[in-house]
Amino acid sequence: MNNEDVLKAVLETHPCYNEEAHKKYARMHVPVAPKCNIQCNYCNRKFDCSNESRPGVTSEVLSPVQAADKIAFVKEKIPNLKVVGIAGPGDPLANEETFRTLELVQQRFPDLTPCVSTNGLMLPDSAERLFSLGVRFVTVTINAVTPEVGADIYRFVLWKGKKYEGTEGATILLENQLKGIEMCANLGMLVKANIVMVPGINSDTIPDLVKKVKSLGAYIVNILPLIPVPGTVFENRDGPTPAERKELMDRCSLDARMMRHCRQCRADAIGLLDQDRSAEFAGCGYGRGDGCGPVEDVPNMITFDEGKKFTVAVASDSGSTVDAGFGSAGRFLVYGVDNGDVKLLREVRPKDLETSTVGRSHREHIEALVTLLDDCDIIIIREIGDMPRSVIENRGKRIVLSSGSVRDSVTSLL
């Protein structure tokens, strides 16, 4: 089948893009993407409530392998599972784990439809890669048609290692969002534009935004009500009433297809849109036995903590890019980060372990290497196996996957 026929077939079973499908077919969001590259004034990813349904909320963060194992577990329990989505809890395209997860989905679950939800900042650089991994459905949350409106919605944007605020940051974000939507549409993907309606901020300009994204090829538009979340800039701002939102959707429906059945899903949502079963599957399917276990903490959650000091090790044989896995790296560059200042502290070469580890098992070698990096809070690598990941995380360190430049990979943590 050609791409158009494939899209038509999978559209029949996608609950978010097809209202008739949402009562028949289930979707599953795998929370593999904790890092985010923008800060919205309505978003707080620092806590989880099992009874709360909104983007950014999750009870756990999974590695790509854990996510694939959990998909297999859920698929057995929910036979009508048709869609696997990656929607956070951060921005999927700011996390290399997203692409590794999509690779595993493509290999292990070719019968499931993969989709991604993003803020669009890195979409132009990622569109072709997503398409090659089988992604045909992309949701872009775009809330402003001008940088001036965007400056009132976004606190800052992290772009190429620098932080931009106000209209400068909003301009960078908007340009990439618009370019990314057009690129995805031209590649043959179906694009859904999510717009958060914030009365008094962007509500009057949403009709123009709808016309703009439609002109670039967006397939459907979803106008969401603001959810005032504690701990955010907009925590005391009122969201729109149901009548106000309906009136705006009715008005915009003259220009674009409207999604009217959205439930503002969690980053770990599972099941039908009207029957989220994520709490039922928390801790399931990835090494905890046949059943499910309690989730004590949300691991690997990376939030914005400006001014924090930390040490980071980067696996880089070339010295310029993150180009090695943990066990195969010829050297690690260790940087100290202090209130935004980055300084190279030393190099660590695993070959120094060769004499002391003769006759030892691979696990013992990995443990010895982790000990060499014992003062490091974060380890940036291109890839990693399950055993080294377990050793590192049990030492209380955070793993970040990247294939970019050393500089950008370190500064993106800011």
Side-chain angles (χ1 to χ4, degrees), residues 184-204:
C184 288
N186 289 340
L187 283 169
M189 300 186 196
L190 293 187
V191 178
K192 175 161 66 72
N194 277 0
I195 305 173
V196 178
M197 180 181 177
V198 187
I201 299 290
N202 71 343
S203 51
D204 291 341

Side-chain angles (χ1 to χ4, degrees), residues 7-184:
L7 281 177
K8 184 176 180 181
V10 294
L11 186 60
E12 295 297 318
T13 60
H14 199 307
C16 297
Y17 285 71
N18 181 354
E19 187 169 2
E20 293 182 3
H22 90 279
K23 293 186 180 296
K24 301 177 183 178
Y25 301 106
R27 72 1 185 159
M28 176 179 181
H29 289 173
V30 286
V32 298
K35 291 189 296 182
C36 197
N37 45 21
I38 69 174
Q39 179 61 65
C40 304
N41 287 336
Y42 53 76
C43 182
N44 186 346
R45 301 179 297 122
K46 293 183 179 180
F47 61 88
D48 167 45
C49 174
S50 61
N51 296 318
E52 184 173 18
S53 181
R54 66 171 175 84
V57 172
T58 183
S59 294
E60 57 191 352
V61 175
L62 306 177
S63 71
V65 172
Q66 289 174 331
D69 288 344
K70 183 165 184 173
I71 292 169
F73 183 90
V74 172
K75 196 167 183 285
E76 289 185 2
K77 306 296 182 182
I78 305 180
N80 61 337
L81 179 67
K82 295 296 182 181
V83 174
V84 173
I86 302 178
D91 186 76
L93 303 186
N95 295 261
E96 186 63 24
E97 291 89 341
T98 293
F99 300 98
R100 176 57 181 152
T101 302
L102 291 171
E103 290 174 357
L104 293 174
V105 170
Q106 192 176 48
Q107 294 165 10
R108 295 181 57 179
F109 313 104
D111 57 323
L112 297 181
T113 300
C115 65
V116 170
S117 179
T118 174
N119 59 43
L121 180 62
M122 298 178 65
L123 191 53
D125 293 335
S126 306
E128 292 186 359
R129 189 179 182 189
L130 291 173
F131 188 84
S132 71
L133 291 170
V135 176
R136 297 296 182 269
F137 295 87
V138 175
T139 295
V140 181
T141 299
I142 175 171
N143 301 315
V145 72
T146 67
E148 290 72 24
V149 174
D152 291 331
I153 295 176
Y154 306 106
R155 183 178 162 208
F156 59 79
V157 171
L158 299 176
W159 177 244
K160 294 186 176 180
K162 292 183 63 177
K163 182 169 76 172
Y164 298 89
E165 301 176 330
T167 56
E168 188 176 18
T171 297
I172 294 170
L173 177 59
L174 180 59
E175 288 177 351
N176 281 283
Q177 289 171 328
L178 298 178
K179 182 179 179 181
I181 290 172
E182 186 172 30
M183 286 181 65
C184 288

Side-chain angles (χ1 to χ4, degrees), residues 94-369:
N95 295 261
E96 186 63 24
E97 291 89 341
T98 293
F99 300 98
R100 176 57 181 152
T101 302
L102 291 171
E103 290 174 357
L104 293 174
V105 170
Q106 192 176 48
Q107 294 165 10
R108 295 181 57 179
F109 313 104
D111 57 323
L112 297 181
T113 300
C115 65
V116 170
S117 179
T118 174
N119 59 43
L121 180 62
M122 298 178 65
L123 191 53
D125 293 335
S126 306
E128 292 186 359
R129 189 179 182 189
L130 291 173
F131 188 84
S132 71
L133 291 170
V135 176
R136 297 296 182 269
F137 295 87
V138 175
T139 295
V140 181
T141 299
I142 175 171
N143 301 315
V145 72
T146 67
E148 290 72 24
V149 174
D152 291 331
I153 295 176
Y154 306 106
R155 183 178 162 208
F156 59 79
V157 171
L158 299 176
W159 177 244
K160 294 186 176 180
K162 292 183 63 177
K163 182 169 76 172
Y164 298 89
E165 301 176 330
T167 56
E168 188 176 18
T171 297
I172 294 170
L173 177 59
L174 180 59
E175 288 177 351
N176 281 283
Q177 289 171 328
L178 298 178
K179 182 179 179 181
I181 290 172
E182 186 172 30
M183 286 181 65
C184 288
N186 289 340
L187 283 169
M189 300 186 196
L190 293 187
V191 178
K192 175 161 66 72
N194 277 0
I195 305 173
V196 178
M197 180 181 177
V198 187
I201 299 290
N202 71 343
S203 51
D204 291 341
T205 62
I206 286 178
D208 290 334
L209 179 56
V210 170
K211 293 176 183 177
K212 183 64 178 179
V213 297
K214 176 63 176 178
S215 72
L216 295 174
Y219 172 78
I220 193 170
V221 175
N222 180 21
I223 299 177
L224 304 162
L226 169 71
I227 300 176
V229 177
T232 67
V233 175
F234 287 167
E235 66 177 327
N236 295 316
R237 181 174 287 275
D238 293 331
T241 66
E244 290 171 336
R245 177 171 170 250
K246 181 180 183 304
E247 188 279 329
L248 183 59
M249 286 193 294
D250 289 345
R251 178 181 172 190
C252 292
S253 65
L254 300 175
D255 298 301
R257 180 185 285 105
M258 291 286 115
M259 178 184 181
R260 297 177 184 265
H261 59 286
C262 179
R263 297 297 181 267
Q264 292 183 274
C265 300
R266 296 163 54 98
D268 59 358
I270 297 174
L272 301 176
L273 295 192
D274 292 326
Q275 299 173 2
D276 183 26
R277 298 171 60 182
S278 57
E280 177 184 339
F281 290 100
C284 291
Y286 53 93
R288 299 197 185 194
D290 294 332
C292 306
V295 179
E296 298 177 356
D297 295 297
V298 178
N300 296 333
M301 184 70 80
I302 300 176
T303 55
F304 295 110
D305 188 5
E306 298 171 77
K308 183 178 180 181
K309 298 179 182 180
F310 58 89
T311 305
V312 54
V314 186
S316 177
D317 292 337
S318 66
S320 58
T321 61
V322 185
D323 53 18
F326 186 77
S328 61
R331 67 172 171 175
F332 289 86
L333 303 176
V334 179
Y335 291 88
V337 181
D338 184 354
N339 198 28
D341 294 327
V342 179
K343 181 180 180 181
L344 179 63
L345 302 179
R346 68 181 191 278
E347 291 187 7
V348 172
R349 295 187 178 270
K351 68 178 183 179
D352 297 337
L353 291 169
E354 290 178 358
T355 301
S356 61
T357 58
V358 172
R360 292 186 177 184
S361 69
H362 179 55
R363 183 181 184 90
E364 289 173 320
H365 176 77
I366 292 296
E367 289 176 342
L369 179 53

